[in-house]
Amino acid sequence: RCFPVLVHSPSLNLCLLFRVRRLLFLSEPRPLTPESLEVSINSTCQCLHLQWSIHSLPHHQELQMIFQIQISRITTSSVVWVGNYSTTVKENQILQWSWESELPLECATHFVRIRSVMDDARFPKPRSWSKWSSWEEVDAQDSLGHNALFVFPKDKLVEEGSSVTFCYVSRSNLNNVSCYLDGEQIHGEQLTPNVSTFHLSHVRYKRTTGTNIYCEMKQGRKLAGTVLYVSRTEVLEEPKNFSCETQDLKTLKCTWDPGSDTALTIQPSSNYTLFESFSQKKKVCEDRNWCSWQVTQDSQEMYNFTLMTENYLRKRSVNLVFKLTHRAVRPMTPLNFILENINSRNATVTWKVRPIGNSTFQCQVELHHDGQVIQTKQQNNVFIKVNGKYLLSEMEPDTHYLARVRCAYGNHFWKWSEWIDQKFTTLEADAGDLFSIWSKVCFEMIIGIFDIFFQPLSKSHANGEILFYNIAVESLDKSSKFNLSIPAPHNDTKLTLNKYSYQIHVTANNSMGTSPASVIVIPGEPGHKEIEEERVKGTENRFSLSWEPQSRDAIGYVVEWCDHPQDPLCGLQWQKLGPNTTSTVISSDAFEQGVRYNFRIYEISPGWIASLLEKKTGYSQELPPSDNPQVTTSSLTSHSFTLNWKDYSTESQPGFIRGYNVYLKSKMEQCTSGFERITPSDDSAGCRHKIDNPEQKTFHVENLEPASSYEFFVTAYTSAGDGPNGTFTKVTTPDEYTRMLTHIVVPVILCILLITVLFYFQIQWMKEKCYPDIPDPYKSSVLSLIKSKENTHLTIMNLKDCIPDAIEVVNKPEGSRTQPLGTGKPLTETELTKPATYLYLLPTQENPSGSGPCICFENFTYNQAASDLGSSGHVPVPPSTPPSQLGLLYSPENLLKALEKYYTNSLGEIPAGETHLNYVSQLASPMPGDKDSLPTDPPVQAQCSEYKMQMAVPLGPASSPPSEDTSLSS
């Protein structure tokens, strides 16, 4: 340090002069104005790029300076941004700086100027700003071209949720332009006469292909547009799990997780750069998730890596500092992994590692079976250089295994190498263990059917593949035995033997030998002890069983059950237990909810005879009943009825039936006695009666109201709840008085019906006896008799063939006389109105002496009208009287014709009150000849039985005789 002392030394004078000049420089710094300012436009990023320099730095020093930048838009007075930029400046150094514009640079003219101030501690304050540089103008519209319409920016890429500004530039009037965002019109703000802007806030991601924005000029249909690309929120993720490692101390491999790729169609993929700060080296990585780095040969131990990633929107970086030999060495995968000396229990594994200098390695060996690690050995105290060796022991014969090994850097453990593995199989051994056998016996008459089951040995006990089973059967009552073989994998057989006791030996055989024999004894006469079944409760897939020993000399117990009791092949299972065991837990993956399982516990005597000890049944988990009883009603009265469900089976249900619930609904608010009021899930009030006895399958509902409607429903319940919901059945009680009336009216109606039926049959009987029906002559057997006499010209009921013997006048009125029929005197009008007079032609006596054949029949006639008059007269005609004498009364021929005439008249022509039922009986004459004339000789009477020829006709004038062909029939 120099002091201001007055001396006359030349060197001292120089020191003083330097100090003075230095103080003058530091006390009066001159502002340095930036020079050579240049401004350019980058349309891709919408940035203004500035560069400038400082030419006259004092004494060529490096100074810390601050530059203030001012940016205006449209005019220099419209300042839109002002900011400072601090940096270290060297003389004539070209400085650069960029500014990103929210408004597309093509939408307006921009102006930039800059000034500076020294920010170095060597200069005292206060410090003053330099002068502003001149305004630099930049206008992108000069290079747009001659199109009438433009939209900016082109293909903009932003993050989701950010804001963006668009504009259109028109060469004509702005009123003719309309703009649209995804087809919806948007309205903007006019910036200059030819430019309008649109500001979009909080833009959302829509699609990877972007959102269309276009403007349309109405005149000439000019279109211009752009695409807005919106990226997800995480545009660029920070790399994760960044690490570096080496396997040979020559090359480092750095890896990381790049995260999801959010690049759009316009956005290029991210690039990654690896920078090491100690060596100041940089490498651009070609892959997204790893990069290699050559280890320097100058024994550099420490490394400081920076992984940088960037894309269009963001930059990310992570750091990693480590010591090469402590945290970066991961050995390569071991080599030459070999298994040697493999037998049924042991095997030896050998391997090699790639050396790293003179380093040692720590290795780990694992043994796997069925995907699980069963042995692992980490050699913590033994280190290998190149070769490794390990003995695998305690393995099972004829079993598949997988052995594998890996190693780590022994000096400073960091990471294990990759695994190397190999599969192998141990050799077989003698089947040296006992296996379990069981038998089911069914005796039929004098023979027994034996089902013998045996559980296959596990792989750990079989010592190899079982080829067959040998069964030796020996009779204990007779000296006889025989053998048979069952090929594997069958595990059961059926034997039909006599009803004796047998001892059965079963052995298993593989390629190496035979197992010890398993023995079971089957008695010839099994006991028939009745044992009550006990209920047990299971939990999930297991049952806990316990029992009381029956004898002290038992050598063991067997628990028997079926995994699938509902199948014909139930899947018989059993478990053998020791003599000191009185409880066990039976578990099986086959146990299902709602299935009843039956367990049988047998006690094994010293003679290998099994006797049933206890029975148990239960469910692993009970379920509600699967169905409801089918209920019928009976004994319906005005106050009660009975429900029956006797056919309901409780054995097939998915739970123990504990009882039944009887639900009853009615319009009354109060429940009948024995019922409690409940509100089911459907909010409909009802009554319930609970039956706790599952064997009770009838229920009598009492204390009901007459002429009322009730609805009932019966369901069973288990410990899990009621059965399924069902439909209520409606029943209506009868009216009490209606029932009483029914008991009276029904018997009366039945009695009336019985009397009516009896009376009807009595009338029919009386009619048959007193008023028989008149037979139809044409249906009579007389006709067949006539035809048999070969008188085929005779017919029945022909009036011309009938000869009357006598005439009887019936119902002759008082004061009147019988008018001779032959007189021909017409009847007066008064006489015509008188009651009718009937003539009956009756035989007067039998003449058995007469000769010649005759046919006669009897016809009983009942005339109610005639009988009521009470008067009759008889005119006898002697049989000897010739036919000509009959003309005194009336000519027979004329009489018959008259009769025929009157009879053949329609009943409608006879006046009311004069119609009478007329019965005519006639005798067919057997005389041959012309039927139109009477024979001149008197007819000879044949021997005939008594008969009556009766004719009832009304008396009246005989008008013109009827036609000769007319006949009378009835």
Side-chain angles (χ1 to χ4, degrees):
R1 183 176 179 182
C2 298
F3 296 93
V5 179
L6 183 60
V7 292
H8 298 281
S9 173
S11 60
L12 184 59
N13 291 335
L14 291 175
C15 180
L16 292 174
L17 179 62
F18 175 76
R19 178 176 176 81
V20 170
R21 294 189 60 183
R22 183 170 180 271
L23 290 175
L24 291 175
F25 173 77
L26 293 176
S27 60
E28 296 180 1
R30 291 184 299 108
L32 303 175
T33 304
E35 299 176 359
S36 305
L37 176 63
E38 295 181 2
V39 182
S40 60
I41 293 177
N42 186 345
S43 297
T44 303
C45 64
Q46 291 295 319
C47 298
L48 288 177
H49 185 68
L50 282 65
Q51 65 179 20
W52 69 93
S53 60
I54 301 296
H55 296 299
S56 54
L57 280 179
H59 307 287
H60 308 286
Q61 298 181 10
E62 291 186 1
L63 298 178
Q64 187 72 24
M65 299 186 67
I66 298 176
F67 297 92
Q68 188 175 65
I69 304 169
Q70 192 176 76
I71 300 175
S72 300
R73 184 176 291 155
I74 303 175
T75 61
T76 56
S77 59
S78 300
V79 178
V80 295
W81 190 87
V82 175
N84 295 334
Y85 169 61
S86 177
T87 185
T88 300
V89 181
K90 297 179 180 180
E91 188 175 7
N92 296 326
Q93 179 184 358
I94 298 177
L95 302 176
Q96 296 182 349
W97 181 83
S98 295
W99 174 75
E100 183 178 358
S101 173
E102 294 183 358
L103 179 71
L105 298 176
E106 293 86 352
C107 301
T109 303
H110 289 78
F111 300 90
V112 180
R113 65 178 181 176
I114 188 171
R115 64 178 180 177
S116 64
V117 64
M118 293 185 183
D119 191 29
D120 201 300
R122 294 172 293 180
F123 293 91
K125 295 182 180 180
R127 308 179 185 105
S128 59
W129 287 95
S130 68
K131 295 182 180 180
W132 285 102
S133 66
S134 59
W135 288 100
E136 291 292 328
E137 178 182 355
V138 56
D139 188 1
Q141 294 184 6
D142 295 338
S143 59
L144 292 183
H146 303 286
N147 293 341
L149 188 63
F150 301 91
V151 177
F152 297 102
K154 295 296 184 181
D155 299 335
K156 181 69 174 178
L157 174 62
V158 296
E159 290 185 64
E160 186 177 20
S162 59
S163 300
V164 62
T165 302
F166 288 85
C167 76
Y168 71 83
V169 179
S170 174
R171 301 295 188 184
S172 59
N173 191 353
L174 292 177
N175 295 330
N176 295 331
V177 179
S178 299
C179 294
Y180 302 89
L181 173 64
D182 253 3
E184 295 184 5
Q185 187 172 1
I186 54 177
H187 301 281
E189 179 181 355
Q190 185 173 351
L191 186 62
T192 63
N194 294 332
V195 178
S196 287
T197 61
F198 303 90
H199 187 73
L200 304 179
S201 301
H202 305 291
V203 293
R204 299 299 176 190
Y205 172 84
K206 290 187 176 181
R207 62 186 73 92
T208 58
T209 56
T211 303
N212 294 324
I213 300 176
Y214 64 93
C215 296
E216 179 182 12
M217 184 179 293
K218 297 180 181 179
Q219 293 180 351
R221 303 285 295 176
K222 301 293 185 179
L223 288 175
T226 185
V227 180
L228 172 63
Y229 293 92
V230 180
S231 180
R232 298 289 189 182
T233 303
E234 289 295 334
V235 178
L236 181 63
E237 295 185 25
E238 183 179 280
K240 303 178 181 64
N241 303 324
F242 178 46
S243 65
C244 297
E245 62 185 33
T246 180
Q247 293 182 327
D248 55 4
L249 295 179
K250 296 179 180 179
T251 303
L252 278 171
K253 182 179 180 181
C254 298
T255 59
W256 60 89
D257 180 10
S260 59
D261 188 2
T262 58
L264 301 175
T265 55
I266 190 178
Q267 176 184 353
S269 298
S270 305
N271 57 73
Y272 295 87
T273 303
L274 198 60
F275 175 74
E276 205 285 308
S277 60
F278 292 127
S279 62
Q280 292 293 308
K281 293 181 180 179
K282 181 185 294 186
K283 181 179 181 180
V284 177
C285 302
E286 298 179 357
D287 296 283
R288 293 186 66 245
N289 57 353
W290 73 276
C291 192
S292 63
W293 186 273
Q294 294 297 320
V295 176
T296 59
Q297 301 299 323
D298 55 1
S299 301
Q300 179 182 347
E301 288 288 332
M302 296 297 300
Y303 287 85
N304 184 1
F305 283 107
T306 300
L307 177 64
M308 299 173 290
T309 178
E310 62 178 332
N311 61 10
Y312 176 79
L313 297 174
R314 288 188 180 182
K315 294 181 180 181
R316 303 281 190 182
S317 63
V318 290
N319 288 83
L320 177 65
V321 180
F322 61 91
K323 191 173 183 180
L324 181 63
T325 56
H326 286 194
R327 285 201 53 198
V329 180
R330 183 186 185 187
M332 294 184 180
T333 306
L335 303 172
N336 301 332
F337 186 62
I338 302 173
L339 286 115
E340 302 174 342
N341 303 324
I342 301 174
N343 55 37
S344 60
R345 299 289 181 179
N346 305 318
T348 302
V349 293
T350 60
W351 68 94
K352 291 183 179 182
V353 294
R354 293 182 177 90
I356 302 178
N358 198 27
S359 302
T360 57
F361 298 90
Q362 178 182 353
C363 297
Q364 184 180 20
V365 180
E366 286 185 353
L367 182 65
H368 290 246
H369 174 62
D370 290 339
Q372 296 181 349
V373 179
I374 60 174
Q375 290 186 24
T376 180
K377 178 66 177 178
Q378 183 173 346
Q379 300 178 356
N380 294 321
N381 300 322
V382 178
F383 295 88
I384 64 172
K385 294 291 185 177
V386 177
N387 298 318
K389 185 177 183 180
Y390 183 73
L391 176 65
L392 300 172
S393 60
E394 299 179 0
M395 293 184 290
E396 302 295 338
D398 191 33
T399 305
H400 300 290
Y401 292 98
L402 181 142
R404 65 179 187 173
V405 65
R406 63 180 178 178
C407 297
Y409 190 58
N411 295 343
H412 298 281
F413 177 84
W414 183 57
K415 279 185 179 182
W416 290 105
S417 68
E418 297 292 339
W419 288 101
I420 183 172
D421 56 44
Q422 187 172 341
K423 296 179 180 180
F424 68 100
T425 303
T426 55
L427 301 180
E428 293 186 358
D430 293 341
D433 290 335
L434 291 171
F435 61 97
S436 177
I437 63 173
W438 189 240
S439 175
K440 300 291 287 184
V441 183
C442 176
F443 287 101
E444 297 180 0
M445 299 299 288
I446 62 172
I447 64 172
I449 300 175
F450 302 83
D451 286 324
I452 299 177
F453 303 88
F454 32 91
Q455 292 176 342
L457 290 171
S458 64
K459 274 205 166 184
S460 61
H461 297 88
N463 295 339
E465 181 183 2
I466 300 299
L467 302 178
F468 64 92
Y469 297 91
N470 186 59
I471 301 176
V473 181
E474 180 181 0
S475 175
L476 300 179
D477 299 331
K478 300 173 66 177
S479 59
S480 63
K481 62 173 62 176
F482 64 90
N483 296 333
L484 70 154
S485 295
I486 304 298
H490 297 287
N491 60 350
D492 66 321
T493 186
K494 187 183 294 289
L495 300 177
T496 303
L497 304 173
N498 293 326
K499 207 171 183 180
Y500 299 117
S501 298
Y502 293 92
Q503 181 172 289
I504 300 175
H505 301 254
V506 181
T507 58
N509 297 263
N510 64 5
S511 61
M512 302 299 293
T514 302
S515 70
S518 297
V519 182
I520 187 171
V521 175
I522 301 174
E525 291 292 339
H528 298 283
K529 181 181 177 181
E530 292 294 335
I531 297 177
E532 184 179 356
E533 193 171 54
E534 179 186 351
R535 291 183 178 181
V536 294
K537 184 177 181 181
T539 56
E540 295 183 356
N541 60 345
R542 61 178 55 194
F543 289 87
S544 296
L545 306 178
S546 61
W547 57 89
E548 292 293 333
Q550 192 174 34
S551 62
R552 296 182 178 180
D553 57 350
I555 64 172
Y557 299 92
V558 173
V559 180
E560 173 193 279
W561 75 95
C562 286
D563 276 346
H564 309 285
Q566 298 175 343
D567 296 340
L569 300 175
C570 70
L572 181 66
Q573 302 292 325
W574 67 93
Q575 185 181 68
K576 288 191 174 183
L577 302 168
N580 298 325
T581 304
T582 58
S583 64
T584 186
V585 176
I586 305 299
S587 60
S588 174
D589 293 336
F591 289 157
E592 298 179 3
Q593 300 178 0
V595 178
R596 180 180 293 189
Y597 295 95
N598 300 315
F599 298 91
R600 301 292 180 262
I601 301 173
Y602 295 87
E603 186 179 70
I604 308 300
S605 68
W608 297 97
I609 298 176
S611 58
L612 183 60
L613 186 63
E614 291 185 13
K615 294 181 181 179
K616 298 181 184 294
T617 183
Y619 297 84
S620 63
Q621 183 175 348
E622 292 189 54
L623 299 178
S626 57
D627 57 356
N628 294 317
Q630 298 294 326
V631 184
T632 59
T633 59
S634 61
S635 304
L636 179 62
T637 67
S638 302
H639 299 281
S640 65
F641 59 87
T642 302
L643 303 177
N644 303 278
W645 57 92
K646 295 183 178 180
D647 296 334
Y648 185 66
S649 174
T650 60
E651 297 297 326
S652 60
Q653 297 300 324
F656 292 117
I657 300 299
R658 308 299 175 95
Y660 304 92
N661 285 324
V662 180
Y663 296 91
L664 188 68
K665 289 183 181 180
S666 66
K667 296 182 180 179
M668 295 176 293
E669 295 183 358
Q670 298 297 329
C671 294
T672 61
S673 60
F675 284 81
E676 60 177 351
R677 193 161 190 84
I678 60 169
T679 302
S681 58
D682 57 356
D683 297 333
S684 60
C687 303
R688 180 183 66 184
H689 177 81
K690 191 172 185 178
I691 300 174
D692 295 329
N693 182 11
E695 302 300 326
Q696 179 182 342
K697 297 185 180 180
T698 61
F699 181 71
H700 190 64
V701 185
E702 300 177 316
N703 302 321
L704 304 179
E705 295 294 329
S708 300
S709 295
Y710 295 89
E711 295 181 3
F712 68 87
F713 171 63
V714 179
T715 179
Y717 67 88
T718 65
S719 61
D722 285 357
N725 294 329
T727 304
F728 279 75
T729 303
K730 187 175 182 181
V731 62
T732 303
T733 56
D735 188 2
E736 189 172 8
Y737 299 101
T738 302
R739 186 168 179 267
M740 186 180 301
L741 185 61
T742 302
H743 285 297
I744 298 174
V745 171
V746 171
V748 172
I749 293 176
L750 292 177
C751 291
I752 293 175
L753 290 175
L754 180 60
I755 294 172
T756 303
V757 171
L758 294 176
F759 185 71
Y760 172 77
F761 284 110
Q762 183 68 19
I763 291 175
Q764 292 296 323
W765 180 81
M766 293 178 62
K767 182 178 178 182
E768 291 178 0
K769 295 298 182 181
C770 302
Y771 304 95
D773 292 335
I774 300 173
D776 188 353
Y778 285 98
K779 298 180 180 178
S780 175
S781 60
V782 175
L783 183 59
S784 61
L785 181 60
I786 294 174
K787 294 182 180 180
S788 66
K789 299 298 182 176
E790 297 181 357
N791 294 324
T792 58
H793 66 282
L794 298 178
T795 59
I796 301 301
M797 299 301 288
N798 194 336
L799 291 177
K800 295 180 181 181
D801 297 333
C802 294
I803 302 175
D805 295 331
I807 299 176
E808 180 182 1
V809 179
V810 181
N811 192 19
K812 180 179 179 182
E814 295 181 2
S816 63
R817 297 187 321 174
T818 302
Q819 178 70 25
L821 297 175
T823 59
K825 184 177 177 179
L827 299 175
T828 65
E829 184 178 354
T830 303
E831 294 172 338
L832 292 173
T833 61
K834 293 179 180 180
T837 301
Y838 293 86
L839 298 181
Y840 287 81
L841 305 181
L842 300 170
T844 58
Q845 63 181 6
E846 296 181 1
N847 188 9
S849 62
S851 59
C854 70
I855 298 173
C856 59
F857 63 90
E858 182 179 9
N859 185 8
F860 296 98
T861 303
Y862 302 92
N863 190 317
Q864 185 66 32
S867 64
D868 293 339
L869 293 177
S871 61
S872 62
H874 296 273
V875 182
V877 181
S880 60
T881 304
S884 60
Q885 294 181 7
L886 294 176
L888 298 175
L889 296 175
Y890 203 89
S891 171
E893 180 180 359
N894 294 335
L895 176 61
L896 294 175
K897 292 181 179 180
L899 291 175
E900 182 179 6
K901 173 186 175 182
Y902 281 103
Y903 185 79
T904 56
N905 283 336
S906 173
L907 292 177
E909 298 175 0
I910 301 174
E914 297 182 359
T915 303
H916 298 277
L917 183 60
N918 301 325
Y919 296 89
V920 178
S921 298
Q922 60 185 4
L923 175 64
S925 175
M927 300 295 291
D930 189 0
K931 64 181 178 177
D932 296 334
S933 62
L934 291 171
T936 57
D937 297 330
V940 180
Q941 293 291 335
Q943 185 177 359
C944 299
S945 62
E946 183 180 359
Y947 67 93
K948 294 180 181 180
M949 297 186 63
Q950 301 172 353
M951 178 180 296
V953 296
L955 295 178
S959 57
S960 58
S963 172
E964 296 179 357
D965 297 331
T966 304
S967 63
L968 181 64
S969 63
S970 62

